[in-house]
């Protein structure tokens, strides 16, 4: 009998008890769930559902799926596959076998997405602290060939909308960055839980007519299992068309979607490349990942890939991006990593080039009345996990060696190691094929905003929240770490998915300032669902960065500091689509899975009539 009621790892060395159903044999459950005979089951498990390109390949773009006559219909199946080394890949598959399509819709379009869960639910934990990715914990034993999984099944008749089952075989979708209501079949992840054996689950919503044009994304958001799914590759881009309407400077440009993902190390035991200038001492953090060593070199916490072309440690063989010499393109880059920070640069003969940022986190810089310039030229772009940047790149001249790289990020003494590394060679060739999508040449400008710029609105109140971490045994530095995101005045505790009480209650129509402190020795990556915010101060000092984001770094604390580092955010609850209960959390997904998350309930505006049904609530036109 398989150890079927085993629990998911929550943080290294700890386990969270989330038992939500009967504990049957894994094989019998899978047969029930998938309707497979024993022989078919074995075939299903052996099939490589999620093939990935080898390193060094030319970067292919994900398939574009475009709305037609205002509707985009998509059928996705989510599979997982475990390789011989025990690592697990996850993939959203189309019928044609292609993975992670880019969903392209216009504001006002209807998305009808049917999602079928075909996850086996391979166990994601190796258990025990101080375990390198790809290694087994001492005493954990060899992985079973294909059935070492964790799965908690609800009776098949239960409603995925209210099931709430969080298990390795469960899934749902978060449409990251979209301002669509947090309700079932739209963008709820608190209760929605789809299981193998369920009929295709329908997501159905209209893109708000006032949704900003830009790069969004989709990924599973099952509490306790987010990191494993996203590390496995369950993610894809979603583009709201019309960025050229907000910024005519990009009209007519070829556009290229680049998705940087992280994954468990392919060569975890390899020594650093001989070409590295230092050989840093290897430290392992509380999550079992390679810890920040402060040198910019050494074993990374995770490997990276570019549109699934892996760029593995230690030599980082670059993927290849082909461009016509000197061609100007719009690059739409998503950091779909679970825990890895990026600091992107484009180098010609080693010299950083100017990159023209036109959008961050799905929103054009100059949007919604923002006083920001439409383009900001920089020579590097920091991108936390889940962050997006859309920027203008000029291709290298013929014969000039060029690279897309990520530079090291100082994640703090408690953070993971995100060293310098190459991602891709950019190769100029006059016969290079064009990207598969080109922005329209003669855009109609967007209408002007109908409400004040967020930065000009006085907040009705200020709240303070803080990230903190605690050793389970303060006298044992090797004991597991607990992760909290706490509203000041409340008691720090991990996120409780069964708590009926939200941590924060606001009214729709309000604007608040949130001061987010970091009381821990590592970077955290604040994200809130359903809305965007403006960064207004950094460590108490006002900043002039008048554009919108949905993710932001919160700098780390060291004991030499007199105060806790912080960011101050102007939070926008004016959109009626924010009404409902949803999440805010750290987007380092191991932290989120471990409980660094809270809930907010946005109530209908005080003077408003009774809440309209969802169909009329959607698509509130404010311009
Ligand atoms: Cu965090």
């Amino acid at each position: 009998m398989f150890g079927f009621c085993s629990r998911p790892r929550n943080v290294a060395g700890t386990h969270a008890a989330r038992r939500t159903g009967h504990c049957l044999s894994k094989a019998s459950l899978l047969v029930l769930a998938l309707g497979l005979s024993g022989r078919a089951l074995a075939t299903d498990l052996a099939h490589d559902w999620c093939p990935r390109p080898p390193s060094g390949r030319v970067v292919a773009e994900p398939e574009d799926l475009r709305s037609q006559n205002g509707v985009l219909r998509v059928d996705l199946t989510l599979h997982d596959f475990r390789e011989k080394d025990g690592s697990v890949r996850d993939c959203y598959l189309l019928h044609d076998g292609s993975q992670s399509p880019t969903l392209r819709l216009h504001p006002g379009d209807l998305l009808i997405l049917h999602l079928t869960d075909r996850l086996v639910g391979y166990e994601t934990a190796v258990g025990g602290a101080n375990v390198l990715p790809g290694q087994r914990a001492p005493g954990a034993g060899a992985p079973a060939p294909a059935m070492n999984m964790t799965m908690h099944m609800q009776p098949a008749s239960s409603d995925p909308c209210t099931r709430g089952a969080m298990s390795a075989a469960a899934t749902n979708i978060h449409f990251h960055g979209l301002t669509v209501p947090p309700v079932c079949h739209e963008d709820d992840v608190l209760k929605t839980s789809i299981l193998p054996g369920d009929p295709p689950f329908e997501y159905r919503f209209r893109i708000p007519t006032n949704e900003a044009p830009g790069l969004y994304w989709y990924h599973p958001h099952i509490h306790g299992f987010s990191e494993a799914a996203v590390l496995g590759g369950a993610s894809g881009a979603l583009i709201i068309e019309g960025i050229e309407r907000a910024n005519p400077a990009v009209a007519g440009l070829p556009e290229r979607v680049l998705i940087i993902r992280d994954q468990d190390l392919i060569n975890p035991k390899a020594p650093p490349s001989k070409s590295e200038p230092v050989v840093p001492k290897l430290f392992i953090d509380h999550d079992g990942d390679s810890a920040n060593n402060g040198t910019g070199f050494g074993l990374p916490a995770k490997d990276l890939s570019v549109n699934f072309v892996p760029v593995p440690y230690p030599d980082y063989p670059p993927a290849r991006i082909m461009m016509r010499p000197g061609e100007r393109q719009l690059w739409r880059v998503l950091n779909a990593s679970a825990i890895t920070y990026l600091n992107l640069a484009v180098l010609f003969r080693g010299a950083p080039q100017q990159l023209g940022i036109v959008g961050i986190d799905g929103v054009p810089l100059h949007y919604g009345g923002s006083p920001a310039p439409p383009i900001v030229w920089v020579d590097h772009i920091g991108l936390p996990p889940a962050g997006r940047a859309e920027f203008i790149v000029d291709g290298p001249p013929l014969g000039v060696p060029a690279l897309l790289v990520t530079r090291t990020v100082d994640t703090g003494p408690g953070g993971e190691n995100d060293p310098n590394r190459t991602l891709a060679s950019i190769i100029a060739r006059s016969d290079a094929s064009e990207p598969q999508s080109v922005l329209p040449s003669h855009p109609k400008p967007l209408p002007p905003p109908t409400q004040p710029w967020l930065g000009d609105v006085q907040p009705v109140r200020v709240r303070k929240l803080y990230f903190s971490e605690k050793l389970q045994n303060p006298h044992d530095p090797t004991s597991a770490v607990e992760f909290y995101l706490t509203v000041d005045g409340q008691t720090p505790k991990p996120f409780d998915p069964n708590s009926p009480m939200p941590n924060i209650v606001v009214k729709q129509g309000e604007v608040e300032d949130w001061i987010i402190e970091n009381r821990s020795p590592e970077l955290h990556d604040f994200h809130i669902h359903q809305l965007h915010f403006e960064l207004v101060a950094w460590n108490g000092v006002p900043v002039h960065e008048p554009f919108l984001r949905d993710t932001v770094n919160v700098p780390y604390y060291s004991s030499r500091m007199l105060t806790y580092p912080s960011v101050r955010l102007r939070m926008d609850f004016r959109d009626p689509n924010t009404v409902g209960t949803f999440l805010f959390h750290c987007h380092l997904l191991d932290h989120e899975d471990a409980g660094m998350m809270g809930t907010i309930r946005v109530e209908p505006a005080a003077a408003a009539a009774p809440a309209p049904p969802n169909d009329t609530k959607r698509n509130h036109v404010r311009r």
Side-chain angles (χ1 to χ4, degrees):
M1 183 59 64
F2 302 101
F4 190 63
C5 296
S6 58
R7 293 163 294 172
R9 186 179 70 157
N10 206 348
V11 293
T14 67
H15 291 80
R18 293 189 194 86
R19 298 175 190 221
T20 52
H22 306 292
C23 293
L24 305 175
S25 87
K26 290 176 183 177
S28 59
L29 270 174
L30 201 68
V31 168
L32 279 173
L34 303 181
L36 301 171
S37 69
R39 180 173 296 176
L41 171 65
T43 307
D44 205 64
L45 291 171
H47 183 78
D48 183 355
W49 294 102
C50 309
R52 298 281 158 79
S55 57
R57 272 285 169 86
V58 171
V59 171
E61 291 184 86
E63 185 168 333
D64 280 321
L65 300 181
R66 298 170 190 274
S67 61
Q68 295 187 325
N69 301 318
V71 181
L72 178 59
R73 295 176 195 275
V74 185
D75 289 334
L76 286 180
T77 304
L78 181 60
H79 279 277
D80 52 359
F81 172 75
R82 187 159 71 189
E83 299 188 74
K84 290 194 181 75
D85 68 359
S87 61
V88 176
R89 291 183 241 137
D90 296 70
C91 55
Y92 287 112
L93 281 187
L94 290 169
H95 292 306
D96 66 4
S98 66
Q99 299 181 32
S100 294
T102 300
L103 312 183
R104 289 177 170 268
L105 301 107
H106 294 84
D109 282 350
L110 181 65
L111 174 64
I112 304 171
L113 188 156
H114 291 139
L115 176 64
T116 304
D117 181 350
R118 293 291 302 273
L119 293 174
V120 172
Y122 294 100
E123 188 168 78
T124 57
V126 288
N130 300 340
V131 179
L132 271 178
Q135 293 181 330
R136 305 285 306 171
M147 296 295 291
N148 183 13
M149 65 192 94
T150 301
M151 195 159 62
H152 303 279
M153 300 290 289
Q154 290 284 354
S157 60
S158 70
D159 180 1
C161 281
T162 55
R163 187 180 273 149
M166 301 295 158
S167 70
T171 196
N172 57 21
I173 293 183
H174 173 45
F175 296 93
H176 185 119
L178 293 182
T179 306
V180 295
V183 299
C184 193
H185 300 287
E186 301 196 36
D187 191 33
D188 166 67
V189 294
L190 271 165
K191 297 289 180 205
T192 303
S193 170
I194 306 157
L195 290 173
D198 283 345
F201 183 85
E202 181 171 273
Y203 284 94
R204 185 186 189 97
F205 57 83
R206 232 170 242 295
I207 303 298
T209 52
N210 59 356
E211 195 74 79
L215 178 59
Y216 300 76
W217 65 299
Y218 56 93
H219 63 86
H221 207 300
I222 293 288
H223 181 54
F225 299 90
S226 298
E227 183 195 22
V230 171
L231 277 178
S235 54
L238 187 154
I239 288 176
I240 302 301
E241 307 279 19
I243 193 169
E244 72 287 351
R245 299 182 65 196
N247 187 342
V250 300
L253 291 187
E255 50 171 323
R256 185 185 289 278
V257 174
L258 294 171
I259 304 178
I260 316 295
R261 296 176 173 89
D262 60 5
Q263 62 184 76
D264 283 338
L265 292 164
I266 294 173
N267 309 305
K269 293 179 180 171
S273 165
K274 289 194 171 60
S275 65
E276 291 206 346
V278 293
V279 180
K281 188 166 170 11
L282 178 60
F283 295 100
I284 301 301
D285 70 9
H286 290 278
D287 306 310
D289 295 311
S290 174
N292 179 23
N293 59 45
T295 67
F297 299 97
L299 184 73
K302 301 292 177 196
D303 275 332
L304 294 174
S305 67
V306 183
N307 291 2
F308 286 129
V309 178
V311 190
Y313 167 84
D315 295 324
Y316 309 118
R320 289 185 294 153
I321 295 172
M322 314 300 288
M323 287 178 82
R324 298 197 177 163
E327 182 176 65
R328 175 163 283 197
Q329 298 185 346
L330 177 71
W331 284 14
R332 318 186 95 161
V333 182
L334 157 63
N335 183 0
S337 297
I339 67 166
T340 305
Y341 289 85
L342 301 176
N343 182 8
L344 300 172
V346 169
L347 311 178
F348 291 178
R349 296 192 196 283
Q353 301 299 298
Q354 291 290 298
L355 307 170
I357 300 180
V358 298
I360 291 289
D361 290 353
V363 185
L365 294 187
H366 184 63
Y367 184 81
S370 154
I375 306 178
V376 173
W377 292 92
V378 297
D379 63 9
H380 66 104
I381 300 173
L383 218 48
R388 289 88 73 206
E390 293 166 88
F391 53 91
I392 295 168
V393 176
D394 290 324
L398 212 54
V400 170
L403 294 173
L404 171 66
V405 303
T406 178
R407 291 174 161 167
T408 186
V409 176
D410 178 8
T411 59
E416 280 84 25
N417 200 35
D418 292 340
N420 297 292
R421 46 190 145 167
T422 302
L423 294 171
S425 297
I426 306 169
I427 300 164
R429 279 187 32 180
S430 46
D431 62 349
S433 57
E434 289 287 343
Q436 61 196 18
S437 185
V438 177
L439 294 165
S441 295
H442 301 288
K444 190 172 128 195
L446 287 176
T450 58
Q451 61 181 5
W453 162 241
L454 179 63
D456 293 336
V457 178
Q458 279 301 312
V460 298
R461 66 185 68 83
V462 179
R463 297 180 197 264
K464 185 192 282 186
L465 295 80
Y466 59 94
F467 288 111
S468 63
E469 300 176 6
K470 198 181 99 185
L471 282 173
Q472 277 187 339
N473 177 357
H475 305 296
D476 176 7
T478 64
S479 69
V481 175
E482 294 180 341
F483 294 86
Y484 312 124
L485 175 49
T486 310
V487 177
D488 197 28
Q490 299 177 7
T491 304
K493 57 183 180 188
F495 171 73
D496 176 4
N498 297 313
S499 171
M501 291 298 296
N503 300 100
I504 291 175
V505 178
V506 305
K507 287 243 186 305
Q508 183 258 316
E510 293 180 334
V511 168
E512 298 192 344
D513 272 11
W514 289 11
I515 296 169
I516 319 274
E517 280 183 355
N518 190 346
R519 303 183 182 180
S520 81
E522 65 175 314
L523 278 184
H524 295 290
D525 180 15
F526 177 81
H527 168 59
I528 186 166
H529 292 206
Q530 265 59 51
L531 60 111
H532 282 70
F533 50 80
E534 181 198 4
L535 174 68
V536 295
W538 182 268
N539 283 334
V541 180
V543 297
H544 185 67
E545 298 191 10
F547 53 86
L548 299 176
R549 316 167 185 246
D550 60 34
T551 48
V552 69
N553 279 339
V554 187
Y556 62 82
Y557 171 71
S558 104
S559 56
R560 296 189 305 276
M561 295 174 177
L562 299 176
T563 57
Y564 292 118
S566 67
V567 296
R568 182 172 177 137
L569 310 176
R570 189 140 305 161
M571 311 293 291
D572 190 353
F573 302 103
R574 290 178 295 176
D575 195 303
N577 279 349
T578 61
V579 169
T581 301
F582 52 93
L583 295 165
F584 53 87
H585 58 87
C586 178
H587 220 294
L588 271 73
L589 296 180
D590 53 346
H591 296 176
E592 176 202 316
D593 284 340
M596 209 170 226
M597 182 152 71
T599 49
I600 177 170
R601 187 172 73 222
V602 180
E603 298 183 331
N614 282 335
D615 268 331
T616 53
K617 192 168 68 178
R618 291 174 206 149
N619 304 320
H620 176 73
V621 178
R622 66 178 186 205
R623 63 178 186 229

